[in-house]
Amino acid sequence: MIAQKFSFALIGNPNAGKSSIFNQLTGLRQKTGNFPGVTVEKKTGLATLADYRQVSVMDLPGAYSLYPNSQDERIVLNILSNPQDPNYPDAVIYVADLTNLERHLLLLSQIKDLGLPLILALNMIDLAVEEGVFFDKKNLIKDLEVPVVGVNGRTGEGVEELKEWMFAQSIQKRDIAAQYSPFEKKAYFYSPTDAERKTIDKIRTVLPDADVPYRALLWAHHYDRLPFLTNFQKNTIKQAAESEKFEDLRLQITETLQRFDKIQPIIRGAIRKPKNESVTLTDHIDRIVTHHIYGPLIFFGILALIFQSIFSWAAIGKDAIEQAFIGLNVLLKNQLPRVWITDLITDGVLAGLSGVLQFIPQIAVLFFFIGLLEEVGYMARSVYLFDRIMQKFGMNGRSIVALVSGGACAIPAIMSTRTISNWKERLITIMVTPLISCSARIPVFVLLVGFIVPQKRVLGYFSFQGLVFGGLYVLSAVSALASAYVFKRILKTNESTFLMIELPDYKLPHWKNVWYNVLQKVRSFVTEAGKTIIVVSIILWFLASFGPPASMQRTIIASETAAKTENLSPRQTNDYIASKKLEASFAGRLGKFIEPAISPLGFDWKIGIALISSFAAREVFVGSIATIYSVGSDPDNTSSIQERMKKEIRPNGSPVYSLAASLSLMIFYVFALQCMSTIAVVHRETKSWKWPLIQFLYMGAMAYVGSYLVYHLFR
């Protein structure tokens, strides 16, 4: 039997620099996942100690105390209050910001009262030196009764000393019950009230697992929200609390105040700050960056830079990946025999891989900038600036980053919502982000706007087509906010919606952290969402490539005969046969089947096929229309498509692409969730098919109703 690795948990307040220490300890030996049953990200890695043994290190979400106000903090509580949890650590590395130590010691005092082996890693010692902050290490060790080490997450200073403590802990046996117990020997940080003592005694009498008194106290406070407790245990704790008139909120406040009363003298005895503290560089910058007028302007300027970078920089990589797959596709088709398995590899598997990998540049660029802004300390300011406005729509300040990023691509934007700790606010952001018009809609909008909007100028300067194009983005933003407000009224949660955030000092970025962040996000997307995308791509390929054998054979023969009669060129013949085969395929039959449902929107069965095909990605619509109308397979040949669209007529002689029908189609693509990649990522982020299904249905309903109203109004 293989022994389980000794495990350490990195714990601390948000912005304490845990990720920097985690990267210094583990390097690239990391993996990301989600905690069971929730969408909070879980980062684990391996650290190599002096004897070359590897120990497990887990970077827990940032938390301020064991009385949680967010999903992130609740994860920390759930783990530390349950010794049977598979993530329960053997020891804790508590990371704190030396420049703001007082506010960071509340959670440390609670963890110490739990009896866990503990070391205090004082981070950002370089910034403390710059600010003239001095700490007395001996006094801290004496007063806190825990080991203390100064570390620098940027340079790695102090990490070896930290590893020495980890080595010493890892060779000892884990024995939590025999550790120091504050209520039985010495009330070190918190002296419980009589009601708490009696409640703790009753709980420990009935429930032997409550071996540490402070753990029993946490159970008394949180029993109704701790998932690992059985109904019997919850009822036992409830009866004990009610019999002793256990006042939950008042006692939480009492405990917090008492802890700070003991923390403050420790800080005064161990930390020395300059008596005449001058206004810092951070203060000067914040006067402008957090200004109620300049702040939002600066924020949108930064986002505009990110947005343009995603379009320009990522487009180069995206096009290169796409062209590489096109070249590989052509090579395989020329080298492999013309059988169905070749088509499966080239048009199914390779198409699916291309759909995954071509998003890598966008994800990498977006998360590079997000990581950079996090590292320098700006992201917290943007959250602070917009939190009050976004909360009116059920979101918070962090949501605005995801919404604006959705203008480039919903996939990395949805992944960026991991910075939102509140479950309800994060879910609402995920649910409405795909409504923001992304770059994949641009080919569709360009085709339709160019088809129905005249090339005129307004006031002599503004293009009428450009204004309509911009209006589509405004419509998408308004619909996203309106939908968010509806979700806010529907979704219920016990989590508080207020924001508690620390504004860290500005500092130079730690580039290793930035690149690790980019690497993890890219790897997570490729390995998780990619599986679903490839499977769905293969299914779509099958539906578009096959149909009833007899019907397909008759279609091919009839198409070849018609092509010879019309004296078509070889390319025109291939396109014509392909379009007829598509019509006879399962996808084509599905288009005919859904025609009665989409005809009230002004769409015919050919548009129906394009709608189905573009489910793989919205921009596929243009290529699908080109194939269906047999005008060539080049999706950028929009003028030829537009000319052919003008000639398309219905059986009654009216044009298929009338003004009403074209506007209807445009509105449909503004709202509809025609992107399987987005659905796959939403499934991955929410760990459920429930939310992507609801998202697909409500956006589909908006698309259908909106298209119906527009078609009949302009008809």
Side-chain angles (χ1 to χ4, degrees):
M1 182 178 179
I2 300 176
Q4 185 179 2
K5 284 187 175 70
F6 198 91
S7 63
F8 294 88
L10 278 170
I11 301 178
N13 291 185
N15 299 315
K18 290 190 297 85
S19 295
S20 299
I21 304 302
F22 178 73
N23 291 332
Q24 290 286 356
L25 289 172
T26 62
L28 291 174
R29 299 179 298 276
Q30 304 175 3
K31 63 179 180 179
T32 59
N34 281 50
F35 289 100
V38 294
T39 58
V40 176
E41 187 175 73
K42 171 184 177 181
K43 291 171 62 178
T44 56
L46 297 175
T48 303
L49 302 182
D51 59 351
Y52 300 103
R53 283 187 304 108
Q54 289 187 327
V55 293
S56 175
V57 181
M58 178 171 57
D59 184 9
L60 286 179
Y64 292 101
S65 80
L66 293 181
Y67 296 109
N69 291 307
S70 70
Q71 189 181 22
D72 278 11
E73 290 185 306
R74 187 159 296 282
I75 289 295
V76 178
L77 167 68
N78 290 347
I79 291 175
L80 295 186
S81 59
N82 179 21
Q84 305 305 319
D85 191 300
N87 294 307
Y88 192 81
D90 293 296
V92 170
I93 302 169
Y94 190 88
V95 182
D97 179 358
L98 178 56
T99 62
N100 295 290
L101 188 57
E102 182 176 349
R103 72 187 69 173
H104 286 243
L105 291 186
L106 172 63
L107 179 58
L108 177 139
S109 71
Q110 293 174 323
I111 295 173
K112 180 165 175 55
D113 283 352
L114 282 172
L116 277 163
L118 175 70
I119 187 171
L120 172 59
L122 294 176
N123 195 17
M124 305 183 191
I125 55 175
D126 54 334
L127 294 180
V129 171
E130 291 178 9
E131 296 178 11
V133 177
F134 169 79
F135 76 100
D136 188 328
K137 184 175 179 180
K138 290 184 178 179
N139 270 352
L140 274 180
I141 294 174
K142 173 177 172 291
D143 293 338
L144 292 175
E145 295 187 359
V146 297
V148 177
V149 57
V151 294
N152 186 334
R154 288 173 45 79
T155 64
E157 179 183 352
V159 171
E160 287 305 316
E161 185 180 348
L162 180 59
K163 284 187 174 182
E164 290 176 7
W165 178 85
M166 295 170 66
F167 173 74
Q169 288 296 320
S170 66
I171 61 177
Q172 297 176 11
K173 292 184 178 181
R174 175 176 172 180
D175 187 4
I176 300 300
Q179 294 291 327
Y180 167 74
S181 176
F183 296 145
E184 292 179 341
K185 297 180 180 178
K186 176 182 175 183
Y188 184 72
F189 274 105
Y190 180 53
S191 300
T193 65
D194 289 340
E196 287 175 316
R197 285 183 181 278
K198 292 177 181 178
T199 303
I200 290 169
D201 291 340
K202 287 187 176 181
I203 293 174
R204 298 183 70 194
T205 300
V206 181
L207 303 176
D209 289 342
D211 48 358
V212 176
Y214 188 62
R215 183 180 302 128
L217 181 61
L218 290 176
W219 287 12
H221 279 291
H222 306 296
Y223 66 88
D224 57 335
R225 294 183 296 276
L226 293 176
F228 57 85
L229 292 177
T230 65
N231 289 333
F232 169 76
Q233 290 174 323
K234 289 180 179 180
N235 289 331
T236 300
I237 297 170
K238 181 180 179 181
Q239 291 172 8
E242 289 178 349
S243 66
E244 298 301 331
K245 298 181 180 179
F246 189 91
E247 300 178 53
D248 179 50
L249 182 58
R250 185 182 64 80
L251 292 173
Q252 286 186 32
I253 296 172
T254 300
E255 176 186 338
T256 302
L257 292 176
Q258 187 183 125
R259 288 183 183 277
F260 274 117
D261 285 342
K262 294 192 176 183
I263 289 171
Q264 288 172 346
I266 295 174
I267 297 298
R268 286 195 297 267
I271 304 296
R272 299 287 186 272
K273 293 186 177 182
K275 291 183 178 179
N276 297 321
E277 294 186 39
S278 59
V279 178
T280 64
L281 178 62
T282 292
D283 296 327
H284 285 298
I285 296 174
D286 275 345
R287 286 175 182 173
I288 300 174
V289 170
T290 61
H291 190 270
H292 67 284
I293 295 177
Y294 304 135
L297 292 177
I298 293 172
F299 175 77
F300 284 115
I302 292 174
L303 286 182
L305 172 64
I306 296 175
F307 187 74
Q308 289 300 319
S309 300
I310 290 174
F311 264 102
S312 55
W313 299 358
I316 299 172
K318 184 175 184 293
D319 293 342
I321 293 173
E322 189 175 17
Q323 290 302 315
F325 272 95
I326 290 174
L328 179 60
N329 199 305
V330 172
L331 177 65
L332 291 178
K333 284 188 174 181
N334 291 336
Q335 296 297 322
L336 296 176
R338 293 184 175 274
V339 292
W340 69 269
I341 196 170
T342 299
D343 291 336
L344 171 61
I345 294 172
T346 56
D347 299 333
V349 176
L350 281 185
L353 284 174
S354 175
V356 176
L357 300 181
Q358 68 179 313
F359 286 113
I360 287 178
Q362 289 177 311
I363 291 173
V365 170
L366 176 63
F367 280 103
F368 169 78
F369 279 108
I370 290 178
L372 188 62
L373 293 175
E374 286 276 10
E375 280 289 308
V376 300
Y378 178 78
M379 194 62 75
R381 272 78 182 178
S382 66
V383 172
Y384 164 76
L385 276 172
F386 292 97
D387 181 66
R388 183 174 298 179
I389 296 174
M390 299 307 290
Q391 279 196 12
K392 296 181 185 297
F393 299 96
M395 297 179 282
N396 71 24
R398 293 184 176 93
S399 303
I400 196 168
V401 180
L403 293 178
V404 176
S405 302
C409 179
I411 293 170
I414 289 171
M415 293 173 67
S416 73
T417 63
R418 294 173 181 177
T419 61
I420 303 173
S421 59
N422 182 284
W423 170 83
K424 179 179 177 179
E425 292 169 345
R426 183 187 182 213
L427 182 61
I428 291 176
T429 306
I430 290 174
M431 296 298 284
V432 304
T433 293
L435 281 170
I436 302 296
S437 291
C438 64
S439 59
R441 290 176 168 108
I442 290 177
V444 182
F445 290 165
V446 169
L447 175 67
L448 295 174
V449 170
F451 180 73
I452 63 175
V453 179
Q455 294 183 353
K456 295 182 179 180
R457 293 198 171 271
V458 179
L459 302 176
Y461 297 99
F462 302 103
S463 166
F464 191 32
Q465 291 181 338
L467 290 175
V468 173
F469 189 83
L472 295 174
Y473 278 84
V474 173
L475 176 61
S476 70
V478 172
S479 64
L481 292 177
S483 300
Y485 184 78
V486 173
F487 277 114
K488 174 188 176 182
R489 308 298 296 180
I490 294 174
L491 294 176
K492 304 298 181 184
T493 178
N494 291 325
E495 287 184 283
S496 302
T497 58
F498 67 86
L499 178 74
M500 183 168 60
I501 187 169
E502 180 181 341
L503 299 183
D505 292 337
Y506 292 103
K507 56 184 182 294
L508 292 174
H510 184 196
W511 293 107
K512 185 184 291 186
N513 287 350
V514 175
W515 295 120
Y516 279 165
N517 182 60
V518 172
L519 177 63
Q520 288 170 0
K521 296 298 186 292
V522 169
R523 184 169 57 188
S524 176
F525 170 71
V526 172
T527 57
E528 297 296 332
K531 300 172 186 177
T532 306
I533 293 172
I534 292 175
V535 170
V536 178
S537 294
I538 293 174
I539 294 173
L540 287 174
W541 166 84
F542 176 82
L543 294 175
S545 301
F546 293 95
S551 176
M552 291 291 283
Q553 187 63 32
R554 289 194 301 268
T555 298
I556 294 173
I557 295 173
S559 301
E560 291 173 345
T561 303
K564 291 179 181 178
T565 303
E566 296 293 332
N567 197 26
L568 300 179
S569 67
R571 177 175 178 176
Q572 290 175 325
T573 299
N574 290 335
D575 287 336
Y576 180 73
I577 294 174
S579 67
K580 290 299 181 181
K581 286 176 63 179
L582 181 63
E583 181 179 345
S585 69
F586 293 120
R589 289 171 178 267
L590 186 56
K592 290 279 190 179
F593 177 76
I594 69 172
E595 187 173 28
I598 62 176
S599 60
L601 311 182
F603 306 159
D604 67 352
W605 70 269
K606 293 182 180 179
I607 295 177
I609 294 177
L611 293 178
I612 296 172
S613 300
S614 65
F615 177 71
R618 296 176 182 97
E619 61 267 40
V620 174
F621 175 84
V622 178
S624 300
I625 289 293
T627 301
I628 293 168
Y629 295 151
S630 305
V631 295
S633 57
D634 184 2
D636 296 324
N637 192 7
T638 54
S639 61
S640 298
I641 298 174
Q642 289 172 344
E643 289 298 321
R644 188 65 183 87
M645 288 166 64
K646 292 178 182 178
K647 298 176 183 178
E648 281 295 308
I649 58 173
R650 302 179 187 275
N652 61 7
S654 63
V656 171
Y657 291 93
S658 62
L659 174 64
S662 300
L663 285 173
S664 173
L665 187 57
M666 201 153 50
I667 293 299
F668 187 89
Y669 270 91
V670 169
F671 295 133
L673 185 55
Q674 295 289 99
C675 182
M676 84 175 170
S677 303
T678 299
I679 292 176
V681 169
V682 173
H683 165 62
R684 190 238 183 241
E685 293 299 305
T686 61
K687 293 296 181 183
S688 169
W689 283 111
K690 170 186 174 181
W691 297 113
L693 177 61
I694 291 174
Q695 190 177 52
F696 179 78
L697 292 177
Y698 98 80
M699 290 180 65
M702 289 177 64
Y704 193 92
V705 173
S707 296
Y708 180 87
L709 293 175
V710 166
Y711 179 66
H712 288 278
L713 283 173
F714 285 87
R715 195 173 161 191

